[in-house]
């Protein structure tokens, strides 16, 4: 199928009549617990455009939540999937082996931070990668406690839901939660009242770990280098290096959850690269396989190999079709230098977004790195969250053909996650719609 015309075009209201009818069918057939950002049904997608069943062309600033970094249905990803599906779709890597999985693991071992010997394990979802990273850390250290940060998001399984900070919608009504998970305050520069957020937050982490948990009981400290669902919170410079050094000093495995921020999204191959951090373990997913379900844990060989054969795996872990997609997506990310493309996107978008902020604006802060950018909405002149303003701006943008996502602990952040291959013209057009949406608040 040819790539859709890369231009925003609206032929009906959003959602259109066919999408409305299909959404009614969805409501009758699908569990209510699955939410939806915009009730349109997609007919095709590619580059920076999503085409719905009513023929509307929407600009994609969501990328399926940072998944389609190389664009939806990238030709090389499609070709890789087709070739593999024609040969075989599944054998289970724990039963018989195949080259595509080794190729993906070898690439991840090479491109993740650090020049030490590494191993990789392939899984299916981001939450599964995080859960396995914790299993590996516990096996290696012989300890059980896991330290997580405020505003963190790590998944929806029992363990990763426990590790996630936000209650609604991720945790409400789903308890009791997994044991031995401890949360420490983490710096949120826009809302931190102290003078030195990096040092003060680090001191609080040290205090909790040493006095309330016992450092000798901690298997892992896990952190998102930029917190995703929490609101695209960028930690102050120096905080994460301090945490990583503290973990090393006490024999604690430091895990970087790069599921949303990794593989070029922030303008570096991995977000920890901005501060030269070398984690013990790195989790990846989302952009890894260009839209196919695949995730990974990559890390120090001695840690990864601490689990005995049979202790890791899963029926679909490292599925061959997903591995073929990942092999193609990783090649595109490297060959086309998509981290540089992410920096270019920031150069275009950030000044225009920052021009919308100010003392009288509903936008209190613009933040992020590369093509992982966000606007936090507050009551003008305060830091009081304004989630309704964020919803109104998102609804305006969506209704005018620009697909956006909200996030944040307070539900007051709009995040921009365009495909890294989006054209400049499309990006500029989308930013114009967002500017009009923010102006509409007045």
């Amino acid at each position: 199928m040819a790539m859709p015309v890369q231009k925003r075009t609206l032929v009906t209201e959003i959602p259109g009549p066919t999408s409305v009818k299909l959404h009614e069918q969805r409501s009758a057939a699908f569990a209510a617990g699955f939410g939806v950002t915009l009730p349109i049904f997609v007919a095709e997608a590619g580059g920076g455009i999503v085409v719905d069943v009513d023929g509307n062309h929407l600009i994609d600033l969501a990328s399926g939540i940072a998944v389609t970094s190389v664009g939806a249905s990238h030709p090389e990803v499609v070709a890789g999937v087709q070739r593999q599906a024609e040969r075989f779709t599944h054998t289970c890597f724990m039963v018989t082996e195949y080259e595509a999985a080794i190729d993906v693991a070898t690439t991840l071992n090479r491109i993740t931070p650090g020049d030490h010997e590494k191993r990789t394990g392939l899984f299916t979802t981001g939450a599964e990668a995080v859960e396995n990273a914790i299993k590996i850390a516990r096996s290696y250290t012989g300890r059980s406690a896991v330290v997580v940060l405020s505003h963190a998001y790590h998944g929806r399984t029992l363990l990763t839901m426990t590790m996630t900070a936000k209650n609604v919608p991720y945790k409400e009504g789903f308890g009791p939660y997994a044991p031995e998970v401890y949360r420490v305050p983490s710096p949120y520069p826009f809302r931190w009242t102290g003078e030195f957020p990096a040092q003060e937050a680090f001191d609080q982490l040290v205090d909790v770990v040493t006095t309330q948990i016992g450092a000798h009981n901690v298997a892992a400290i896990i952190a998102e280098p930029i917190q995703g669902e929490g609101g695209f919170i960028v930690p102050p410079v120096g905080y994460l290096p301090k945490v990583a050094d503290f973990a090393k000093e006490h024999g604690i495995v430091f895990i970087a959850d790069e599921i949303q921020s990794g593989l070029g999204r922030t303008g570096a191959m991995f977000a920890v690269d901005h501060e030269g951090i070398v984690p013990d373990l790195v989790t990846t997913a989302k952009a890894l396989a260009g839209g196919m379900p695949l995730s990974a844990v990559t890390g120090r060989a001695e840690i990864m190999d601490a689990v005995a054969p049979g202790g890791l795996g899963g029926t679909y872990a490292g599925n061959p079709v997903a591995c073929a997609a990942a092999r193609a997506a990783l090649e595109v990310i490297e060959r086309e230098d998509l981290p540089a493309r992410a920096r270019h996107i920031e150069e275009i978008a950030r000044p225009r977004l920052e021009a919308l902020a100010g003392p009288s604006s509903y936008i209190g802060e613009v933040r992020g790195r590369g093509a992982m950018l966000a606007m936090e909405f507050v009551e003008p002149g305060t830091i009081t969250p304004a989630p309704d303003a964020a919803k109104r701006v998102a609804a305006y943008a969506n209704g005018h053909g620009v697909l956006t996502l909200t996030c944040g602990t307070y539900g007051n952040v709009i995040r921009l996650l365009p495909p890294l291959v989006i054209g400049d013209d499309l990006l500029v057009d989308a930013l114009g719609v967002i500017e009009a949406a923010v102006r509409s608040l007045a």
Side-chain angles (χ1 to χ4, degrees):
M1 181 179 292
M3 184 175 293
V5 175
Q6 299 294 292
K7 183 178 181 180
R8 179 171 61 101
T9 305
L10 300 183
V11 297
T12 72
E13 292 184 353
I14 304 294
T18 307
S19 282
V20 170
K21 184 177 180 180
L22 288 169
H23 185 69
E24 292 172 356
Q25 296 176 22
R26 168 208 160 118
S27 299
F30 226 77
F34 289 82
V36 63
T37 295
L38 181 59
I40 63 167
F41 279 72
V42 177
E44 57 179 313
I49 288 289
V50 170
V51 184
D52 71 11
V53 290
D54 290 289
N56 299 296
H57 285 54
L58 292 83
I59 301 176
D60 185 7
L61 296 188
S63 298
I65 316 182
V67 169
T68 54
S69 289
V70 299
S73 302
H74 189 285
E76 293 179 40
V77 173
V78 172
V81 167
Q82 289 174 334
R83 285 192 299 268
Q84 182 58 52
E86 288 171 353
R87 295 170 60 211
F88 59 92
T89 59
H90 177 76
T91 72
C92 184
F93 192 69
M94 279 64 65
V95 176
T96 61
E97 302 171 307
Y98 35 87
E99 272 188 85
I102 306 307
D103 291 344
V104 173
T106 300
T107 299
L108 288 172
N109 290 343
R110 174 173 55 80
I111 68 175
T112 47
D115 56 6
H116 50 275
E117 186 178 0
K118 300 173 194 168
R119 301 282 189 272
T120 287
L122 297 179
F123 305 97
T124 310
T125 67
E128 194 179 357
V130 170
E131 193 138 340
N132 277 279
I134 299 303
K135 287 167 58 178
I136 293 164
R138 284 172 166 169
S139 180
Y140 175 72
T141 62
R143 306 170 181 178
S144 58
V146 178
V147 174
V148 297
L149 305 184
S150 298
H151 310 288
Y153 178 87
H154 295 293
R156 295 174 181 263
T157 61
L158 176 61
L159 177 58
T160 58
M161 171 182 64
T162 305
M163 296 164 64
T164 291
K166 190 174 181 179
N167 182 44
V168 177
Y170 305 116
K171 302 169 76 167
E172 178 67 23
F174 297 144
Y177 305 115
E180 290 298 300
V181 174
Y182 301 87
R183 193 171 312 283
V184 299
S186 61
Y188 190 153
F190 180 64
R191 298 184 170 278
W192 192 272
T193 57
E195 187 175 357
F196 304 105
Q199 186 62 48
E200 292 168 5
F202 173 69
D203 289 344
Q204 291 185 33
L205 179 147
V206 170
D207 182 66
V208 171
V209 170
T210 57
T211 66
Q212 298 182 36
I213 310 169
H216 62 285
N217 293 318
V218 178
I221 298 174
I222 183 168
E224 302 160 271
I226 297 179
Q227 293 184 312
E229 292 292 325
F232 279 31
I233 302 166
V234 182
V237 172
Y239 172 72
L240 286 180
K242 289 176 184 289
V243 174
D245 288 344
F246 173 78
K248 183 177 181 180
E249 178 185 352
H250 292 277
I252 299 168
V253 176
F254 180 67
I255 305 170
D257 182 345
E258 291 265 10
I259 286 166
Q260 187 164 175
S261 61
L263 298 171
R265 172 59 55 181
T266 67
M269 188 60 77
F270 292 92
V272 290
D273 292 338
H274 291 285
E275 293 193 76
I277 301 166
V278 179
D280 296 308
L281 301 178
V282 178
T283 60
T284 51
K286 292 194 182 290
L288 177 58
M292 297 295 289
L294 188 70
S295 64
V297 182
T298 303
R300 297 184 182 278
E302 67 273 19
I303 299 176
M304 294 292 296
D305 286 343
V307 180
L312 301 176
T315 301
Y316 295 105
N319 170 268
V321 178
C323 285
R327 186 161 53 184
L330 289 168
E331 184 176 339
V332 171
I333 290 168
E334 289 197 273
R335 186 186 69 238
E336 298 185 8
D337 194 3
L338 293 192
R341 179 65 193 167
R343 297 193 296 272
H344 178 71
I345 289 170
E346 181 177 9
E347 289 171 359
I348 294 173
R350 192 177 195 114
R352 292 183 63 166
L353 297 176
E354 289 178 338
L356 298 172
S360 61
S361 172
Y362 278 92
I363 298 179
E365 183 179 51
V366 172
R367 57 177 177 259
R369 285 188 172 126
M372 189 174 180
L373 299 172
M375 301 171 287
E376 177 160 358
F377 287 78
V378 294
E379 297 300 329
T382 75
I383 61 169
T384 302
D388 288 343
K391 290 176 184 175
R392 286 161 57 193
V393 168
Y396 181 104
N398 291 340
H400 286 77
V402 176
L403 180 55
T404 59
L405 299 170
T406 57
C407 66
T409 299
Y410 311 103
N412 66 326
V413 176
I414 291 180
R415 52 180 164 174
L416 306 182
L417 289 165
L420 302 185
V421 296
I422 192 171
D424 288 0
D425 290 348
L426 273 187
L427 180 61
V428 168
D429 184 16
L431 291 169
V433 172
I434 290 172
E435 289 167 341
V438 173
R439 286 195 295 268
S440 74
L441 292 175

